Structures are given as C-alpha cells and as structure tokens.
C-alpha cells in the first residue's frame, strides 16, 4: 500500500492481472479463494465492513443532487449494484462474507411506489448467488422521513438475526445494533456511520455525541455480562489514531477517548471496558482504507470487545484482519488507491472506500485467544500515498486525453493560464481546468493569473460535467 511496507511485498505487483489473496502476510499470498485457509472449519466466518459510496434507487426523490434523475438513472443503478455484488463475490467461497456491514444505502422515500435501494440490493445479491442473507436496516420508524438521513446502514447476515435496535445519533446515521445467533452463541454487532469530516475540529464534537451513544449501549451490555461478544464496525469517520494525528486541535476524540478504541491487544485477554481496534494488526505503514489529499486514512473499522478473546461464545481469529484489495478492480493500477465511484459515463468505478474484514469462529473450550502480531503504536502522522510509479509513467496531457478510459489517470501538464475563474490552462493545443483539494497547492492555483506559466501533474477527473486535472498535493506542482 505504501512504499516501505511488507504488505506491498505480500501483495505482489499492482500490474498483476490476478486477484490477490486477502490473507495476512505471514500466510502465503498464493491462490484465488480469499478466505480459504488450511484447516478452516464450518465454525469459522468472516465479518466485512464496507462503505459502498452511495447506492440509491430510481424513485427520483433524493436529498443529494448527484442522485437526482438528471445525474443518476438505470445505467448507474445497474452498474452500482454490480460493483457491490462483484466485490462481495470475490471474498470467500463465492457466496460472500457471512456478515456484511454496509454503509451509504439510501433510505427509502417512496415505499409504496418503487423498489427501494435495499430491496434492489437484496434482489441483486440473490441473482449473483450471494447469501442467502437476513437483512437489518438502520431506520428509526418513529422519526419522519423528512427528519431522517438520506442514507443508512444495512447489515447482512447468513446467520439468524435474533434482535435489532437502532440508536439515534446527532447529524449522522442511526447506529444499527443486531444480535446474531451463531450456532447457539450470540454475537452483538454495531454497524456505524458517524458524522463526516475526520480532520475537522468543528465536527469532532458531533462524532463525540455519536460515539457516546454507542459507548453507553456497550456499557449496558458489559454491565449485564462483561464477556459479551461485541464487534463495532463501519465508517466511523475517524482514524484509528485520531487523538495522535489531531492532538493540537482535538483535545478529546470520539474514537479514542469516548469509544475507548486502542491498540494494546493483550488488554483484551482480561475483562476490560477498552476495545481493541484491528488496525493494530497491521504495521502502521500498511494501514489505509481510503485516500484524502494524498494521505491514507483509516475511516473503516472493526473494533472488538474482551469477550472475543475468552474461551466461550465467539472468538477472534488472531491476525486475520486485512484490507480487501482486489487488483485491477477496486484499486487503481500503480498507486493502489481506491477506484472511487462516479456517476459520469453511465457509472464507473467501485467505491472511495476499501472494505476491511476479519475472521471469527465459535470458541474452543479451554483455549483462549492468544495475542498475535500486535502493532500497538499509533503514529501522529498519516502515511503518504506512494505515487512514484504512476508519476514516472505519466504522459503529457493533450487534446486526446479527455476520454472515459483515462478517468483518474495521472498526466503531466505544462502551459499558460488562460482563465483564472475557473482556473484554465492552455496546453498542447487544448484547454483544461486545474483544481486541488490540498490547501498549499490550492493557494498557488488560486493566485495564478492569465499569462502565468504552470506545470506539474494531475489526475483526470470531472466536476459538474467538465473535465479537470486535480493536483493531489503541493509537490505535484513545479516551480513558478
């Protein structure tokens, strides 16, 4: 994933045409079945957390402009469903993970007139041969549709669902709690999608409220039974090391201070209120499920309670946590960043988040879970994406570059500013807009005036139907 990681060596080259095996690096990476390990029994199962990046239905009623009829139709829906079902089918034995925590599924706003996004998904899963799944939705029925969020969490389970609860959160999606019956043992799973804006100190108090709701419920369960088997999963819109990364602007964090997510795995071998974040199964350089401003983030999570380390109920399979990286499918060749979804061209891409998954099993009596290759450290920085290979191979942008086949490809550019609102460059006999989300690069671009020379690199994208090159970070720009 990153330049110096052992994970890169395990995963082989991004140029390889085969799907990689999603197994820890201590296990051979050969083979195509992602969860098939020697000695696996029917008692083992996989939990996967996956933000699909917005699955909407076709009723034309959307809180998001990008999913209104002028931007989203039959082609986008069909391809989006295929991207989700293809992802799930590539994990396990072809019938999908046993438990799936999905985020960003549209809440149905026309229940009597049209099939909902959830119903369409369930139909597509069946047609693909996935499951069969029981399904729970993150909808609080007592709250009106107008006051409900645009999107919710959905949990899929091949196991019976004994109980479902939804917990209201401020300016976020309800936390979906399900109690699953796994061969007579109960597993409690919380599916989350907290308030967005991981790097924003302004939105962290909202995430603290979201986390407080979850923590209160976990404490209730642990008070009744300290050995309750609990998995917290989903998109927490927080990094596993939120407290360290934003120490200067966030004196209190939702994920670390309130939820009590931490990286010391041995603590889980004794009763404790603290939870173990499975990102600490991987070395710091290998941690990443999405990319923002040229850095790897860890917004997707699987977090465990003490009960999953004792000798009864359900157990975690040590060192089984991994990121679902599927070469030439959900990551871009060369950089390995997520192959995000766009509604352009009838719908292209997969998702801006990579799924995370881990293996669990019914407990072996008298045998507690041993600590594995625990990496307890929480650096105060996020790893940079290694763009070296794609930058070295970048071709100059020209009049023939604007094509769907080049979407998200990195090009070099050199030319003169033609317009500054929006910033437009003349280069190689054509024109292209330039933009950046990185503050330092953005400042340089916004200061440019007609006649100024600019050169650098950008990935090809579109905004409101217009082509643009997005400069990922400051060092993608040459000296002016």
């Amino acid at each position: 994933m990153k330049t110096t990681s052992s994970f890169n060596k395990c995963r082989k080259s991004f140029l390889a045409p085969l799907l990689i095996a999603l197994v820890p690096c201590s296990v051979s990476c050969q083979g195509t079945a992602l969860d098939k390990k020697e000695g696996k029994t029917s008692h083992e199962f996989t939990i996967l957390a996956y933000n699909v990046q917005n699955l909407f239905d076709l009723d034309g009623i959307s809180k998001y402009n990008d999913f209104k009829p002028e931007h989203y139709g039959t082609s986008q829906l069909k391809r989006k469903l295929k991207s989700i079902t293809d992802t799930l089918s590539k994990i396990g034995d072809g019938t999908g993970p046993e438990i799936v925590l999905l985020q960003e599924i549209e809440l149905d706003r026309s229940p009597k007139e049209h099939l909902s996004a959830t119903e369409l998904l369930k139909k597509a899963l069946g047609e693909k041969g996935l499951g069969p799944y029981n399904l729970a939705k993150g909808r609080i029925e007592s709250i009106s549709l107008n006051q409900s969020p645009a999107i919710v969490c959905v949990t899929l389970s091949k196991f019976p669902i004994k109980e479902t609860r939804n917990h209201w959160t401020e300016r976020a999606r309800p936390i979906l709690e399900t109690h699953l019956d796994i061969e007579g043992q109960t597993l409690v799973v919380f599916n989350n999608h907290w308030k967005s804006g991981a790097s924003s100190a302004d939105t962290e108090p909202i995430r603290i409220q979201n986390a407080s709701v979850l923590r209160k419920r976990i404490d209730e369960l642990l008070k009744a039974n300290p050995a309750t088997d609990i998995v917290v999963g989903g998109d927490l819109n927080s990094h596993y090391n939120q407290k360290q990364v934003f120490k200067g602007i966030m004196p209190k964090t939702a994920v670390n201070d309130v939820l009590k997510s931490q990286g010391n795995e041995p603590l889980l071998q004794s009763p404790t209120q603290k939870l173990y974040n499975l990102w600490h199964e991987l070395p710091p350089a290998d941690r990443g499920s999405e990319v923002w401003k040229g850095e790897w983030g860890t917004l997707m999570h699987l977090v465990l309670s003490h009960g999953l380390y004792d000798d009864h109920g359900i157990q975690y399979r040590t060192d089984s946590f991994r990121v679902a990286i599927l070469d030439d499918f959900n990551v871009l060749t060369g950089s390995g960043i997520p192959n995000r979804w766009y509604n352009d061209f009838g719908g292209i891409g997969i998702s801006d988040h990579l799924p995370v998954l881990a293996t669990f099993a019914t407990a072996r009596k008298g045998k507690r879970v041993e600590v594995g290759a625990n990496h307890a450290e929480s650096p105060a920085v996020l790893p940079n994406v290694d763009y070296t290979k794609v930058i070295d191979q970048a071709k100059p942008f020209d009049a023939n570059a604007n094509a769907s086949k080049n979407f998200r490809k990195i090009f070099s550019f050199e030319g003169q500013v033609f317009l500054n609102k929006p910033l437009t460059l003349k280069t190689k006999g054509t024109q292209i807009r330039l933009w950046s989300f990185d503050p330092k690069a953005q400042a340089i671009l916004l200061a440019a005036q007609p006649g100024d020379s600019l050169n650098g690199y950008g990935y090809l994208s579109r905004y409101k139907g217009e082509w643009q090159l997005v400069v990922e970070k400051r060092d993608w720009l040459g000296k002016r």
Side-chain angles (χ1 to χ4, degrees):
M1 188 175 297
K2 282 59 101 176
T3 330
T4 59
S5 82
S6 59
F7 193 41
N8 259 341
K9 297 174 184 176
C10 175
R11 285 177 30 194
K12 315 259 182 176
S13 168
F14 275 113
L15 300 176
L18 298 177
L19 299 178
I20 64 160
L22 291 179
V23 293
C25 283
S26 59
V27 180
S28 170
C29 286
Q30 302 298 320
T32 58
L34 304 187
D35 274 343
K36 290 181 180 177
K37 298 187 293 182
E38 188 175 348
K40 177 173 177 176
T41 72
S42 62
H43 298 286
E44 286 192 0
F45 60 92
T46 296
I47 299 178
L48 177 138
Y50 182 30
N51 183 325
V52 304
Q53 196 191 345
N54 294 310
L55 172 65
F56 275 65
D57 62 28
L58 293 179
D59 64 6
I61 307 171
S62 169
K63 284 192 170 185
Y64 297 166
N65 288 332
D66 286 350
F67 294 90
K68 291 183 176 178
E70 57 267 34
H71 303 295
Y72 184 83
T74 303
S75 175
Q76 284 86 355
L77 172 63
K78 182 178 179 181
R79 293 181 183 183
K80 187 65 188 182
L81 287 168
K82 187 176 188 301
S83 78
I84 297 170
T85 57
D86 281 355
T87 298
L88 298 182
S89 71
K90 295 175 187 295
I91 298 169
D93 61 0
T95 65
E98 285 77 6
I99 300 169
V100 183
L101 312 182
L102 299 176
Q103 297 82 48
E104 296 197 3
I105 307 296
E106 187 194 20
L107 176 61
D108 187 17
R109 299 183 181 278
S110 57
K112 296 181 180 179
E113 293 86 6
H114 300 270
L115 289 176
S116 68
T118 303
E119 291 168 330
L120 290 163
L121 175 61
K122 191 169 185 178
K123 183 173 181 286
L125 292 169
E127 291 174 348
K128 188 75 172 181
L130 296 165
Y133 287 114
N134 300 295
L135 185 148
K137 293 182 290 185
R139 166 78 203 280
I140 299 177
E141 298 292 342
S142 61
I143 298 178
S144 70
L145 285 173
N146 286 336
Q147 294 177 310
S148 298
I151 50 179
V152 295
C153 300
V154 169
T155 296
L156 309 176
S157 173
K158 293 181 182 180
F159 304 107
I161 298 175
K162 297 164 53 176
E163 180 183 346
T164 298
R165 297 189 185 193
N166 278 290
H167 304 276
W168 177 86
T169 58
E170 180 183 349
R171 295 174 61 185
R173 281 58 55 173
I175 296 172
L176 175 57
E177 173 187 345
T178 52
H179 294 230
L180 308 180
D181 183 349
I182 301 174
E183 299 182 9
Q185 307 297 327
T186 299
L187 176 66
V188 182
V189 179
F190 290 96
N191 190 349
N192 298 259
H193 191 189
W194 295 357
K195 173 63 180 173
S196 60
S199 61
S200 170
D202 293 334
T203 57
E204 188 66 12
I206 303 170
R207 285 187 292 277
I208 286 174
Q209 188 279 337
N210 302 166
S212 298
V213 171
L214 176 58
R215 187 68 241 188
K216 180 181 178 181
R217 178 56 181 153
I218 290 174
D219 288 341
E220 291 173 354
L221 292 168
L222 294 181
K223 183 177 180 180
N225 177 8
T228 302
D229 296 322
I230 300 171
V231 174
V232 173
D235 184 348
L236 304 186
N237 272 310
S238 304
H239 305 293
Y240 75 92
N241 54 345
Q242 188 86 351
K243 188 173 183 67
Q244 290 76 27
V245 172
F246 301 111
K247 182 178 180 180
I249 62 172
M250 298 182 189
K252 184 179 182 180
T253 62
V255 69
N256 301 122
D257 296 303
V258 178
L259 184 59
K260 300 179 182 177
S261 162
Q262 53 83 47
N264 188 348
E265 188 179 19
L267 284 180
L268 275 286
Q269 293 187 309
S270 301
T272 178
Q273 287 190 323
K274 293 185 177 181
L275 307 177
Y276 178 53
N277 195 313
L278 291 183
W279 279 115
H280 291 276
E281 299 285 273
L282 304 178
D286 294 345
R287 301 169 188 169
S289 52
E290 52 283 308
V291 169
W292 178 243
K293 297 180 182 177
E295 295 177 329
W296 282 102
T298 52
L299 306 186
M300 302 302 301
H301 295 262
L302 289 174
V303 186
L304 312 183
S305 70
H306 149 72
L308 292 160
Y309 279 77
D310 61 26
D311 64 349
H312 55 274
I314 305 299
Q315 293 180 326
Y316 169 59
R317 281 288 186 252
T318 302
D319 295 336
S320 67
F321 175 79
R322 58 267 199 208
V323 182
I325 299 169
L326 306 166
D327 284 351
D328 298 324
F329 179 70
N330 71 343
V331 296
L332 299 184
T333 300
S335 64
I337 67 174
N339 181 15
R340 65 174 296 148
W341 172 266
Y342 293 87
N343 284 339
D344 296 80
F345 311 111
I348 57 175
I350 306 298
S351 174
D352 55 356
H353 296 264
L354 299 177
V356 296
L357 64 158
T359 303
F360 299 81
T362 50
R364 292 166 286 184
K365 288 289 184 180
K367 187 171 178 62
R368 292 177 175 269
V369 177
E370 296 180 358
V371 173
N374 176 227
H375 303 272
E377 59 269 38
S378 293
V381 295
L382 300 175
N384 289 317
V385 177
D386 182 8
Y387 287 108
T388 305
K389 183 183 295 185
V390 285
I391 289 289
D392 289 345
Q393 297 175 351
K395 296 180 179 179
F397 182 85
D398 58 26
N400 297 318
N402 288 341
S404 60
K405 67 179 182 179
N406 293 326
F407 212 65
R408 297 282 289 180
K409 283 187 178 179
I410 293 176
F411 290 88
S412 63
F413 63 84
E414 183 175 4
Q416 287 190 323
V417 175
F418 175 65
L419 293 173
N420 61 349
K421 290 186 179 179
L423 182 65
T424 306
L425 194 74
K426 275 188 175 181
T427 178
K428 300 285 185 181
T430 188
Q431 298 175 10
I432 186 66
R433 293 182 179 184
L434 298 179
W435 179 249
S436 180
F437 295 100
D438 177 76
K440 292 181 180 179
Q442 190 181 102
I444 293 173
L445 295 179
L446 292 178
Q449 298 298 316
D452 288 351
S453 296
L454 286 175
N455 65 87
Y457 298 90
Y459 64 81
L460 189 61
S461 179
R462 281 165 71 89
Y463 178 69
K464 293 185 176 179
E466 298 291 335
W467 289 101
Q468 62 178 6
L469 286 174
V470 178
V471 179
E472 184 78 328
K473 50 186 180 176
R474 169 63 185 89
D475 61 13
W476 281 27
L477 286 172
K479 293 181 179 180
R480 290 180 55 194

